[in-house]
Amino acid sequence: MALRALKPQGWNRERDKGMKILIQKFGGTSVADRDCMTRVRAKVEDGLKRADKVIAVLSARAGDTNRLLALADEWSATPDMAECDSLVSTGEQVSISLFTMLLKDAGIRARSLLGWQIPITTDEHFGRARIRAIKSDVLRTLLTEYDVLVIAGFQGCTEDGRITTLGRGGSDTSAVALAAALDSAECEIYTDVEGVYTTDPNICSTARKMERVAYEEMLEMASMGAKVLHIRSVEFAKKYKVPVRVRSTFSDDPGTLVTQEDSSMEAVLVSGIAYDKDQARVTLRDVPDVPGMAAALFGPLSEKGILVDMIVQNTSQDGHTDMTFTISRKDLKQTLEIMDEVARKTGASEVLHDVSVAKVSAIGVGMRNHSGVAARAFAALTQEGINILMISTSEIKITILIQEKYVELAVRILHDTFGLDWDIGC
Ligand code: ADP
Ligand code: ASP
Ligand code: MG
């Protein structure tokens, strides 16, 4: 999306001059019940002391999105994607209305807004839509009347008015896109941990909170499974240079600033370990090793919007090879249907799959200037008897596919190996 598309149309410079707008996003556990929402109200009141206006972006209350998705599955074996988005987006409608009531009870001039009421326009990929534009002049006009706008995260609408959702965890993206569109100086993401840690603090007790993390590192951590930030939110933040502060609803800790890289960040070799259990491995056996075969395999998957993650092609034997790749588990059924068809067309002998795998990644901008990180990671895992199934690397990351049952152990081993631990063991 072009920056221009996000910028306010009809922005009244005189009227808006100097208006400081703070974006604050609150996740599902932060708005889970009335007590939590009362804490959130205090955060918004604090925000109003630091800025002229606050835009609060809310997730659905903890568990509501899952409940709505389960309801869709109960109703239909193959729920219509557009209707599913319409259904699942109601979780945020509940939370924003309830929260706005609490704000009004405290005498705060506030109103709630759904995605289509702004609108936040997206493409038509139901369930994983991408934001195209935000009509921010509507928000600026409303901010002359209200001090707080409470906006439903995770949702938008297509050009022709159908409700879409942005993918699980997508409220972070709504918040950062609003911050970019409104030229907000900072976007605060409030959650149930005190910031971005060297790894998930809920599985590794010696994980350390980082004061700052580079956009690029955060992007890799998010795409490798660190769900503390939705990956698209980091892409937006990086592209539009929005400083994002991840902090806790339940404390006053300053949290972690996600920002541009500086020289001090390069000094650290590995800054974080991420893991992702949402992995399935698919293998096509005895594929003819001829030009165009990879395109014949992956073309049909990309046409269906299925993201392929790691890919390994074995060495050729008698003009044939095995091709192995990983995908999200939710795409497995569709992928296997497509691969059966591909196998028939190409003459591949069989299609195998495995859903008991997961990936672990070590990430750090410092890796650019150092070699040997991968070797250290392999040695540490091997010493603990963890078998490595697949490997992929980039300039600032190394990813290893292993059996899911070893994930927590592997995270702790790598966290220790790269010196990220506090002084007590994980
Ligand atoms: P919210 O509902 O507020 O959006 P999420 O559950 O989406 O919260 O994200 C917060 C969770 O992310 C934490 O509870 C933690 O378990 C997990 N997490 C994974 N990796 C990290 C990390 N590196 N730093 C902080 N939290 C992480
Ligand atoms: N409510 C949505 C979800 O649970 C979006 C979000 O919380 O960010 O995935
Ligand atoms: Mg989240």
Side-chain angles (χ1 to χ4, degrees), residues 59-60 65 92 154 168-171:
S59 292
T65 307
E92 273 71 13
F154 179 54
R168 297 308 305 267
S171 299

PDB file of all heavy atoms in Angstrom, residues 59-60 65 92 154 168-171, ligand 2:
ATOM      1  N   SER A  59      -9.189  -5.148  20.948  1.00  0.00           N
ATOM      2  CA  SER A  59      -9.450  -6.522  20.491  1.00  0.00           C
ATOM      3  C   SER A  59     -10.775  -6.976  21.110  1.00  0.00           C
ATOM      4  O   SER A  59     -11.313  -6.307  21.992  1.00  0.00           O
ATOM      5  CB  SER A  59      -8.379  -7.474  21.007  1.00  0.00           C
ATOM      6  OG  SER A  59      -7.153  -7.215  20.426  1.00  0.00           O
ATOM      7  N   ALA A  60     -11.211  -8.147  20.687  1.00  0.00           N
ATOM      8  CA  ALA A  60     -12.365  -8.776  21.341  1.00  0.00           C
ATOM      9  C   ALA A  60     -11.925  -9.240  22.728  1.00  0.00           C
ATOM     10  O   ALA A  60     -10.735  -9.446  22.968  1.00  0.00           O
ATOM     11  CB  ALA A  60     -12.808  -9.970  20.517  1.00  0.00           C
ATOM     12  N   THR A  65     -13.129 -14.417  20.228  1.00  0.00           N
ATOM     13  CA  THR A  65     -12.858 -14.726  18.821  1.00  0.00           C
ATOM     14  C   THR A  65     -12.853 -16.240  18.614  1.00  0.00           C
ATOM     15  O   THR A  65     -13.443 -16.744  17.647  1.00  0.00           O
ATOM     16  CB  THR A  65     -11.514 -14.101  18.378  1.00  0.00           C
ATOM     17  OG1 THR A  65     -11.549 -12.713  18.714  1.00  0.00           O
ATOM     18  CG2 THR A  65     -11.275 -14.262  16.893  1.00  0.00           C
ATOM     19  N   GLU A  92     -15.224  -7.752  18.508  1.00  0.00           N
ATOM     20  CA  GLU A  92     -14.708  -6.404  18.748  1.00  0.00           C
ATOM     21  C   GLU A  92     -15.860  -5.403  18.922  1.00  0.00           C
ATOM     22  O   GLU A  92     -15.736  -4.422  19.641  1.00  0.00           O
ATOM     23  CB  GLU A  92     -13.800  -5.970  17.587  1.00  0.00           C
ATOM     24  CG  GLU A  92     -12.331  -6.395  17.713  1.00  0.00           C
ATOM     25  CD  GLU A  92     -12.059  -7.877  17.531  1.00  0.00           C
ATOM     26  OE1 GLU A  92     -12.964  -8.597  17.059  1.00  0.00           O
ATOM     27  OE2 GLU A  92     -10.941  -8.329  17.847  1.00  0.00           O
ATOM     28  N   PHE A 154      -8.838  -5.340  14.121  1.00  0.00           N
ATOM     29  CA  PHE A 154      -8.969  -6.640  13.456  1.00  0.00           C
ATOM     30  C   PHE A 154      -9.915  -6.609  12.259  1.00  0.00           C
ATOM     31  O   PHE A 154     -10.039  -7.584  11.554  1.00  0.00           O
ATOM     32  CB  PHE A 154      -9.435  -7.640  14.524  1.00  0.00           C
ATOM     33  CG  PHE A 154      -9.677  -9.066  14.130  1.00  0.00           C
ATOM     34  CD1 PHE A 154      -8.710  -9.817  13.478  1.00  0.00           C
ATOM     35  CD2 PHE A 154     -10.874  -9.697  14.473  1.00  0.00           C
ATOM     36  CE1 PHE A 154      -8.932 -11.153  13.175  1.00  0.00           C
ATOM     37  CE2 PHE A 154     -11.104 -11.027  14.168  1.00  0.00           C
ATOM     38  CZ  PHE A 154     -10.132 -11.769  13.524  1.00  0.00           C
ATOM     39  N   ARG A 168      -5.607 -13.578  12.589  1.00  0.00           N
ATOM     40  CA  ARG A 168      -5.490 -13.630  14.056  1.00  0.00           C
ATOM     41  C   ARG A 168      -4.405 -12.670  14.544  1.00  0.00           C
ATOM     42  O   ARG A 168      -3.329 -12.600  13.958  1.00  0.00           O
ATOM     43  CB  ARG A 168      -5.185 -15.058  14.520  1.00  0.00           C
ATOM     44  CG  ARG A 168      -6.261 -16.095  14.213  1.00  0.00           C
ATOM     45  CD  ARG A 168      -7.649 -15.717  14.675  1.00  0.00           C
ATOM     46  NE  ARG A 168      -7.783 -15.387  16.075  1.00  0.00           N
ATOM     47  CZ  ARG A 168      -8.130 -16.257  17.038  1.00  0.00           C
ATOM     48  NH1 ARG A 168      -8.346 -17.512  16.723  1.00  0.00           N
ATOM     49  NH2 ARG A 168      -8.245 -15.864  18.289  1.00  0.00           N
ATOM     50  N   GLY A 169      -4.739 -11.943  15.588  1.00  0.00           N
ATOM     51  CA  GLY A 169      -3.783 -10.969  16.137  1.00  0.00           C
ATOM     52  C   GLY A 169      -3.793  -9.648  15.382  1.00  0.00           C
ATOM     53  O   GLY A 169      -2.961  -8.770  15.637  1.00  0.00           O
ATOM     54  N   GLY A 170      -4.735  -9.489  14.461  1.00  0.00           N
ATOM     55  CA  GLY A 170      -4.728  -8.341  13.531  1.00  0.00           C
ATOM     56  C   GLY A 170      -5.027  -6.980  14.135  1.00  0.00           C
ATOM     57  O   GLY A 170      -4.835  -5.954  13.467  1.00  0.00           O
ATOM     58  N   SER A 171      -5.464  -6.926  15.400  1.00  0.00           N
ATOM     59  CA  SER A 171      -5.746  -5.606  15.993  1.00  0.00           C
ATOM     60  C   SER A 171      -4.479  -4.756  16.107  1.00  0.00           C
ATOM     61  O   SER A 171      -4.544  -3.525  16.046  1.00  0.00           O
ATOM     62  CB  SER A 171      -6.347  -5.751  17.389  1.00  0.00           C
ATOM     63  OG  SER A 171      -7.553  -6.446  17.300  1.00  0.00           O
TER      64      SER A 171
HETATM   65  N1  ASP B   2      -9.648 -10.692  18.246  1.00  0.00           N
HETATM   66  C1  ASP B   2      -8.713 -11.090  17.213  1.00  0.00           C
HETATM   67  C2  ASP B   2      -7.994 -12.374  17.619  1.00  0.00           C
HETATM   68  O1  ASP B   2      -8.250 -12.920  18.676  1.00  0.00           O
HETATM   69  C3  ASP B   2      -7.759 -10.004  16.869  1.00  0.00           C
HETATM   70  C4  ASP B   2      -6.784  -9.600  17.966  1.00  0.00           C
HETATM   71  O2  ASP B   2      -6.969  -9.939  19.129  1.00  0.00           O
HETATM   72  O3  ASP B   2      -5.803  -8.925  17.638  1.00  0.00           O
HETATM   73  O4  ASP B   2      -7.198 -12.859  16.866  1.00  0.00           O
END
